[in-house]
Amino acid sequence: MSNKVVKFGGSSLADANQFKKVAAIIKSDDKRRYVVPSAPGKRFSDDIKVTDMLYKCCELASSGMDFSKDFQMIKDRYNGIISELGIDMSLDSEFDAIVKELKARPTKDFAASRGEYLNGKVLAKYLDFTFVDAADVIIFDTKGSLLLDDTVKAVRDKLKGLDNAVIPGFYGRTTEGFIKTFSRGGSDVTGSIIANAVKADIYENWTDVSGFLVADPRIVDKPDVIEVITYRELRELAYMGASVLHEDAIFPVRSAGIPINIRNTNAPEDAGTMIVSDDYNFSRESLSHTITGIAGKKGFSTINIEKAMMNNEAGFGMKVLKVLYDNGLSFEHMPSGIDTMSITLSTEKLDAVRDKVLADLRKAVAPDHLEIEDGIALLAVVGRRMKNTRGTVARIFASMAHARINVKMIDQGSSELNVIIGVSENDLPEAIRRIYDMFINSEKQ
Ligand code: ASP
């Protein structure tokens, strides 16, 4: 039977009103059979997430302090949701068991996991779906790494014969029986694993935005939503700082060829963003800009090395890279000329060994000139269509030239999926706006 796995983030389940929207979304499509909830998130901007309240209780419990007041706030959140939804259930025995465990063995993972556990109980009751404890199906080894094969088998065994189920996100258990969570935001990962195990048609990830945006809305005014993005494009943008899904949520669905659809609980009519593999049928897409997204990141430096006849000196590059390697540095880009080479890398990492790296480079390659330039930002223009479109790079540089932005470095990946540009940090926002105008606004006209 075909099915969809639906994951709802914390803001989608922050109060009773949000629960109602979630239930309406699930009930409107009977393929939405497996539901993965997060813990109640923020109801307003300075609200506190239940997960954070639980971490606090654990901290107090670990230092032998009273946490009853803080725990009462957690109880109030759930009891408020239950009473407003008018469901006939009590979590009192669950609350007592959690308090008892926190007093006896205050472990962070157990504490944090209870947010999703309790929310799963409430949601299952409200939807009249079966509750399946993630501790029974999401399995980690003793070091805390997910055991995907064992997990998939456990999920399939448990869900066999169930028409629908609620499986709380974020946690599982180790083979030794201890509760273990993923890192923060990890309900995304649970949803992806469940989608893989049940061979879902699609993994819907419901949140509070209508998909990924072409550019950062703090820089570009009301940027467009990305309609379709490939996993590879997403990785490029995420690496450059675009805030997206939990990193580990990609692999389980990607390996099974299941698309992810990012949707908005507060605007369910919006199509959201589809994340798909390279062989997706793109003709279904309505909008085709040349580029998919733009992202930028500050905090880089370049090491500029000049030496006459560098190009003739065998092993020159190797010696330079060995210095970086010996100092534990990885680098982002390394464009070179006949007598010059420049290496872009993180300023923060470089700072720890800056003087030593300069001294080592002088010793290793005796450069004619050696300098470090700080305050560099990298900007990535990402798009699968760039490969087949002429003039893309020309348009990028024309837009920068019109804004009098000095380009310090360019690098086009061999896959032609992205163009990376180095600019001064001060120029980054304007550069992003200009490129957005050139490719998105002007292509609309
Ligand atoms: N509730 C957890 C967190 O706040 C996990 C999640 O929401 O995905 O990080």
Side-chain angles (χ1 to χ4, degrees), residues 128-158:
D128 197 20
F129 280 16
T130 305
F131 174 82
V132 170
D133 191 349
D136 294 337
V137 292
I138 306 286
I139 304 172
F140 296 92
D141 67 14
T142 50
K143 293 200 188 89
S145 302
L146 178 78
L147 295 168
L148 187 61
D149 291 346
D150 295 2
T151 296
V152 165
K153 188 175 173 312
V155 172
R156 286 186 185 155
D157 285 351
K158 202 81 187 175

mmCIF file of all heavy atoms in Angstrom, residues 128-158:
data_model
loop_
_atom_site.group_PDB
_atom_site.id
_atom_site.type_symbol
_atom_site.label_atom_id
_atom_site.label_comp_id
_atom_site.label_asym_id
_atom_site.label_seq_id
_atom_site.Cartn_x
_atom_site.Cartn_y
_atom_site.Cartn_z
ATOM 1 N N ASP A 128 -6.135 9.131 16.997
ATOM 2 C CA ASP A 128 -6.565 7.738 17.099
ATOM 3 C C ASP A 128 -5.682 6.836 16.218
ATOM 4 O O ASP A 128 -6.170 5.985 15.472
ATOM 5 C CB ASP A 128 -8.055 7.621 16.711
ATOM 6 C CG ASP A 128 -8.637 6.295 17.205
ATOM 7 O OD1 ASP A 128 -8.033 5.708 18.113
ATOM 8 O OD2 ASP A 128 -9.673 5.852 16.662
ATOM 9 N N PHE A 129 -4.383 7.078 16.280
ATOM 10 C CA PHE A 129 -3.370 6.256 15.605
ATOM 11 C C PHE A 129 -2.650 5.435 16.680
ATOM 12 O O PHE A 129 -2.654 5.813 17.866
ATOM 13 C CB PHE A 129 -2.328 7.135 14.898
ATOM 14 C CG PHE A 129 -2.748 7.700 13.557
ATOM 15 C CD1 PHE A 129 -4.078 7.719 13.139
ATOM 16 C CD2 PHE A 129 -1.788 8.222 12.687
ATOM 17 C CE1 PHE A 129 -4.441 8.251 11.905
ATOM 18 C CE2 PHE A 129 -2.135 8.761 11.458
ATOM 19 C CZ PHE A 129 -3.460 8.776 11.061
ATOM 20 N N THR A 130 -1.976 4.366 16.275
ATOM 21 C CA THR A 130 -1.203 3.567 17.239
ATOM 22 C C THR A 130 0.090 4.309 17.607
ATOM 23 O O THR A 130 0.771 4.829 16.720
ATOM 24 C CB THR A 130 -0.842 2.204 16.611
ATOM 25 O OG1 THR A 130 -2.047 1.592 16.173
ATOM 26 C CG2 THR A 130 -0.116 1.305 17.597
ATOM 27 N N PHE A 131 0.423 4.327 18.895
ATOM 28 C CA PHE A 131 1.698 4.913 19.337
ATOM 29 C C PHE A 131 2.773 3.834 19.274
ATOM 30 O O PHE A 131 2.614 2.751 19.835
ATOM 31 C CB PHE A 131 1.567 5.430 20.780
ATOM 32 C CG PHE A 131 2.874 5.915 21.358
ATOM 33 C CD1 PHE A 131 3.349 7.194 21.069
ATOM 34 C CD2 PHE A 131 3.640 5.096 22.196
ATOM 35 C CE1 PHE A 131 4.545 7.642 21.587
ATOM 36 C CE2 PHE A 131 4.848 5.546 22.722
ATOM 37 C CZ PHE A 131 5.306 6.820 22.418
ATOM 38 N N VAL A 132 3.873 4.123 18.591
ATOM 39 C CA VAL A 132 5.005 3.182 18.555
ATOM 40 C C VAL A 132 6.205 3.895 19.170
ATOM 41 O O VAL A 132 6.640 4.934 18.663
ATOM 42 C CB VAL A 132 5.312 2.758 17.100
ATOM 43 C CG1 VAL A 132 6.625 1.993 17.024
ATOM 44 C CG2 VAL A 132 4.170 1.933 16.529
ATOM 45 N N ASP A 133 6.707 3.359 20.286
ATOM 46 C CA ASP A 133 7.823 4.026 20.954
ATOM 47 C C ASP A 133 9.078 3.919 20.088
ATOM 48 O O ASP A 133 9.474 2.813 19.692
ATOM 49 C CB ASP A 133 8.062 3.368 22.320
ATOM 50 C CG ASP A 133 9.028 4.171 23.172
ATOM 51 O OD1 ASP A 133 9.666 5.120 22.647
ATOM 52 O OD2 ASP A 133 9.154 3.856 24.373
ATOM 53 N N ALA A 134 9.719 5.068 19.826
ATOM 54 C CA ALA A 134 10.941 5.065 19.007
ATOM 55 C C ALA A 134 12.034 4.214 19.660
ATOM 56 O O ALA A 134 12.920 3.699 18.973
ATOM 57 C CB ALA A 134 11.422 6.501 18.803
ATOM 58 N N ALA A 135 11.971 4.054 20.982
ATOM 59 C CA ALA A 135 12.979 3.230 21.673
ATOM 60 C C ALA A 135 12.914 1.770 21.220
ATOM 61 O O ALA A 135 13.885 1.034 21.348
ATOM 62 C CB ALA A 135 12.774 3.326 23.183
ATOM 63 N N ASP A 136 11.786 1.361 20.694
ATOM 64 C CA ASP A 136 11.657 -0.031 20.227
ATOM 65 C C ASP A 136 12.120 -0.224 18.790
ATOM 66 O O ASP A 136 12.266 -1.363 18.340
ATOM 67 C CB ASP A 136 10.176 -0.474 20.300
ATOM 68 C CG ASP A 136 9.688 -0.538 21.731
ATOM 69 O OD1 ASP A 136 10.541 -0.683 22.633
ATOM 70 O OD2 ASP A 136 8.465 -0.427 21.942
ATOM 71 N N VAL A 137 12.307 0.859 18.060
ATOM 72 C CA VAL A 137 12.590 0.679 16.629
ATOM 73 C C VAL A 137 13.840 1.406 16.109
ATOM 74 O O VAL A 137 14.417 1.005 15.095
ATOM 75 C CB VAL A 137 11.371 1.082 15.749
ATOM 76 C CG1 VAL A 137 10.221 0.114 15.949
ATOM 77 C CG2 VAL A 137 10.916 2.504 15.991
ATOM 78 N N ILE A 138 14.240 2.490 16.756
ATOM 79 C CA ILE A 138 15.427 3.228 16.287
ATOM 80 C C ILE A 138 16.597 2.751 17.149
ATOM 81 O O ILE A 138 16.624 2.986 18.368
ATOM 82 C CB ILE A 138 15.249 4.759 16.438
ATOM 83 C CG1 ILE A 138 13.960 5.245 15.744
ATOM 84 C CG2 ILE A 138 16.486 5.511 15.951
ATOM 85 C CD1 ILE A 138 13.990 5.294 14.237
ATOM 86 N N ILE A 139 17.559 2.076 16.521
ATOM 87 C CA ILE A 139 18.573 1.369 17.319
ATOM 88 C C ILE A 139 19.990 1.898 17.040
ATOM 89 O O ILE A 139 20.402 2.044 15.882
ATOM 90 C CB ILE A 139 18.483 -0.144 17.037
ATOM 91 C CG1 ILE A 139 17.035 -0.573 17.337
ATOM 92 C CG2 ILE A 139 19.456 -0.936 17.897
ATOM 93 C CD1 ILE A 139 16.689 -1.948 16.952
ATOM 94 N N PHE A 140 20.686 2.190 18.113
ATOM 95 C CA PHE A 140 22.062 2.698 18.027
ATOM 96 C C PHE A 140 23.027 1.652 18.584
ATOM 97 O O PHE A 140 22.634 0.846 19.440
ATOM 98 C CB PHE A 140 22.214 3.957 18.899
ATOM 99 C CG PHE A 140 21.381 5.132 18.457
ATOM 100 C CD1 PHE A 140 20.102 5.342 18.966
ATOM 101 C CD2 PHE A 140 21.895 6.053 17.548
ATOM 102 C CE1 PHE A 140 19.348 6.436 18.580
ATOM 103 C CE2 PHE A 140 21.141 7.157 17.156
ATOM 104 C CZ PHE A 140 19.872 7.343 17.673
ATOM 105 N N ASP A 141 24.293 1.710 18.149
ATOM 106 C CA ASP A 141 25.281 0.836 18.796
ATOM 107 C C ASP A 141 25.716 1.482 20.111
ATOM 108 O O ASP A 141 25.254 2.581 20.457
ATOM 109 C CB ASP A 141 26.450 0.517 17.844
ATOM 110 C CG ASP A 141 27.313 1.742 17.524
ATOM 111 O OD1 ASP A 141 27.184 2.772 18.220
ATOM 112 O OD2 ASP A 141 28.090 1.667 16.555
ATOM 113 N N THR A 142 26.616 0.820 20.821
ATOM 114 C CA THR A 142 26.965 1.316 22.164
ATOM 115 C C THR A 142 27.713 2.653 22.092
ATOM 116 O O THR A 142 27.741 3.406 23.051
ATOM 117 C CB THR A 142 27.847 0.291 22.906
ATOM 118 O OG1 THR A 142 28.915 -0.057 22.018
ATOM 119 C CG2 THR A 142 27.061 -0.951 23.268
ATOM 120 N N LYS A 143 28.292 2.953 20.912
ATOM 121 C CA LYS A 143 28.997 4.251 20.785
ATOM 122 C C LYS A 143 28.053 5.371 20.335
ATOM 123 O O LYS A 143 28.447 6.516 20.199
ATOM 124 C CB LYS A 143 30.124 4.132 19.761
ATOM 125 C CG LYS A 143 31.243 3.218 20.223
ATOM 126 C CD LYS A 143 32.510 3.538 19.426
ATOM 127 C CE LYS A 143 33.607 2.549 19.694
ATOM 128 N NZ LYS A 143 33.554 1.382 18.778
ATOM 129 N N GLY A 144 26.799 5.013 20.035
ATOM 130 C CA GLY A 144 25.844 6.057 19.654
ATOM 131 C C GLY A 144 25.674 6.237 18.157
ATOM 132 O O GLY A 144 25.062 7.210 17.724
ATOM 133 N N SER A 145 26.234 5.312 17.343
ATOM 134 C CA SER A 145 25.994 5.416 15.886
ATOM 135 C C SER A 145 24.752 4.608 15.540
ATOM 136 O O SER A 145 24.549 3.506 16.056
ATOM 137 C CB SER A 145 27.171 4.852 15.095
ATOM 138 O OG SER A 145 28.329 5.534 15.438
ATOM 139 N N LEU A 146 23.978 5.168 14.623
ATOM 140 C CA LEU A 146 22.740 4.489 14.224
ATOM 141 C C LEU A 146 23.055 3.164 13.535
ATOM 142 O O LEU A 146 23.950 3.083 12.694
ATOM 143 C CB LEU A 146 21.978 5.390 13.245
ATOM 144 C CG LEU A 146 20.682 4.767 12.730
ATOM 145 C CD1 LEU A 146 19.583 4.862 13.776
ATOM 146 C CD2 LEU A 146 20.245 5.430 11.431
ATOM 147 N N LEU A 147 22.298 2.111 13.874
ATOM 148 C CA LEU A 147 22.417 0.828 13.168
ATOM 149 C C LEU A 147 21.256 0.776 12.180
ATOM 150 O O LEU A 147 20.141 0.375 12.529
ATOM 151 C CB LEU A 147 22.354 -0.331 14.166
ATOM 152 C CG LEU A 147 23.522 -0.399 15.159
ATOM 153 C CD1 LEU A 147 23.250 -1.390 16.282
ATOM 154 C CD2 LEU A 147 24.813 -0.778 14.415
ATOM 155 N N LEU A 148 21.519 1.219 10.948
ATOM 156 C CA LEU A 148 20.414 1.416 9.999
ATOM 157 C C LEU A 148 19.709 0.107 9.643
ATOM 158 O O LEU A 148 18.474 0.048 9.641
ATOM 159 C CB LEU A 148 20.897 2.147 8.736
ATOM 160 C CG LEU A 148 19.786 2.540 7.755
ATOM 161 C CD1 LEU A 148 18.770 3.493 8.381
ATOM 162 C CD2 LEU A 148 20.346 3.177 6.487
ATOM 163 N N ASP A 149 20.478 -0.942 9.389
ATOM 164 C CA ASP A 149 19.832 -2.202 8.979
ATOM 165 C C ASP A 149 18.940 -2.760 10.095
ATOM 166 O O ASP A 149 17.805 -3.179 9.852
ATOM 167 C CB ASP A 149 20.884 -3.247 8.577
ATOM 168 C CG ASP A 149 21.581 -2.838 7.282
ATOM 169 O OD1 ASP A 149 21.050 -1.927 6.604
ATOM 170 O OD2 ASP A 149 22.649 -3.391 6.974
ATOM 171 N N ASP A 150 19.473 -2.771 11.319
ATOM 172 C CA ASP A 150 18.679 -3.280 12.458
ATOM 173 C C ASP A 150 17.432 -2.423 12.653
ATOM 174 O O ASP A 150 16.347 -2.912 12.958
ATOM 175 C CB ASP A 150 19.498 -3.242 13.759
ATOM 176 C CG ASP A 150 20.684 -4.194 13.693
ATOM 177 O OD1 ASP A 150 20.863 -4.818 12.635
ATOM 178 O OD2 ASP A 150 21.438 -4.295 14.680
ATOM 179 N N THR A 151 17.612 -1.107 12.474
ATOM 180 C CA THR A 151 16.494 -0.183 12.655
ATOM 181 C C THR A 151 15.402 -0.438 11.614
ATOM 182 O O THR A 151 14.219 -0.540 11.951
ATOM 183 C CB THR A 151 17.006 1.279 12.560
ATOM 184 O OG1 THR A 151 17.898 1.500 13.646
ATOM 185 C CG2 THR A 151 15.870 2.277 12.611
ATOM 186 N N VAL A 152 15.829 -0.557 10.361
ATOM 187 C CA VAL A 152 14.851 -0.770 9.289
ATOM 188 C C VAL A 152 14.057 -2.052 9.560
ATOM 189 O O VAL A 152 12.829 -2.089 9.433
ATOM 190 C CB VAL A 152 15.569 -0.827 7.910
ATOM 191 C CG1 VAL A 152 14.673 -1.402 6.840
ATOM 192 C CG2 VAL A 152 16.029 0.579 7.524
ATOM 193 N N LYS A 153 14.768 -3.095 10.005
ATOM 194 C CA LYS A 153 14.087 -4.365 10.284
ATOM 195 C C LYS A 153 13.090 -4.194 11.443
ATOM 196 O O LYS A 153 11.937 -4.626 11.364
ATOM 197 C CB LYS A 153 15.145 -5.421 10.639
ATOM 198 C CG LYS A 153 14.567 -6.801 10.743
ATOM 199 C CD LYS A 153 15.642 -7.847 10.964
ATOM 200 C CE LYS A 153 15.009 -9.211 11.235
ATOM 201 N NZ LYS A 153 13.937 -9.206 12.225
ATOM 202 N N ALA A 154 13.542 -3.493 12.498
ATOM 203 C CA ALA A 154 12.662 -3.310 13.661
ATOM 204 C C ALA A 154 11.431 -2.482 13.288
ATOM 205 O O ALA A 154 10.312 -2.778 13.710
ATOM 206 C CB ALA A 154 13.436 -2.641 14.797
ATOM 207 N N VAL A 155 11.630 -1.440 12.469
ATOM 208 C CA VAL A 155 10.494 -0.592 12.061
ATOM 209 C C VAL A 155 9.502 -1.442 11.266
ATOM 210 O O VAL A 155 8.292 -1.411 11.515
ATOM 211 C CB VAL A 155 10.968 0.623 11.214
ATOM 212 C CG1 VAL A 155 9.783 1.380 10.632
ATOM 213 C CG2 VAL A 155 11.833 1.567 12.046
ATOM 214 N N ARG A 156 10.028 -2.207 10.327
ATOM 215 C CA ARG A 156 9.122 -3.015 9.481
ATOM 216 C C ARG A 156 8.351 -4.015 10.321
ATOM 217 O O ARG A 156 7.139 -4.164 10.155
ATOM 218 C CB ARG A 156 9.920 -3.745 8.399
ATOM 219 C CG ARG A 156 10.361 -2.775 7.325
ATOM 220 C CD ARG A 156 11.018 -3.462 6.156
ATOM 221 N NE ARG A 156 11.510 -2.444 5.238
ATOM 222 C CZ ARG A 156 12.498 -2.608 4.381
ATOM 223 N NH1 ARG A 156 13.126 -3.769 4.284
ATOM 224 N NH2 ARG A 156 12.862 -1.616 3.591
ATOM 225 N N ASP A 157 9.053 -4.687 11.253
ATOM 226 C CA ASP A 157 8.364 -5.673 12.107
ATOM 227 C C ASP A 157 7.253 -5.014 12.901
ATOM 228 O O ASP A 157 6.148 -5.522 13.009
ATOM 229 C CB ASP A 157 9.352 -6.319 13.096
ATOM 230 C CG ASP A 157 10.252 -7.321 12.386
ATOM 231 O OD1 ASP A 157 9.969 -7.614 11.200
ATOM 232 O OD2 ASP A 157 11.239 -7.774 13.000
ATOM 233 N N LYS A 158 7.583 -3.867 13.465
ATOM 234 C CA LYS A 158 6.646 -3.190 14.360
ATOM 235 C C LYS A 158 5.436 -2.619 13.592
ATOM 236 O O LYS A 158 4.317 -2.598 14.114
ATOM 237 C CB LYS A 158 7.402 -2.047 15.046
ATOM 238 C CG LYS A 158 6.805 -1.590 16.327
ATOM 239 C CD LYS A 158 7.180 -2.481 17.470
ATOM 240 C CE LYS A 158 6.454 -2.121 18.739
ATOM 241 N NZ LYS A 158 6.740 -3.068 19.793
#
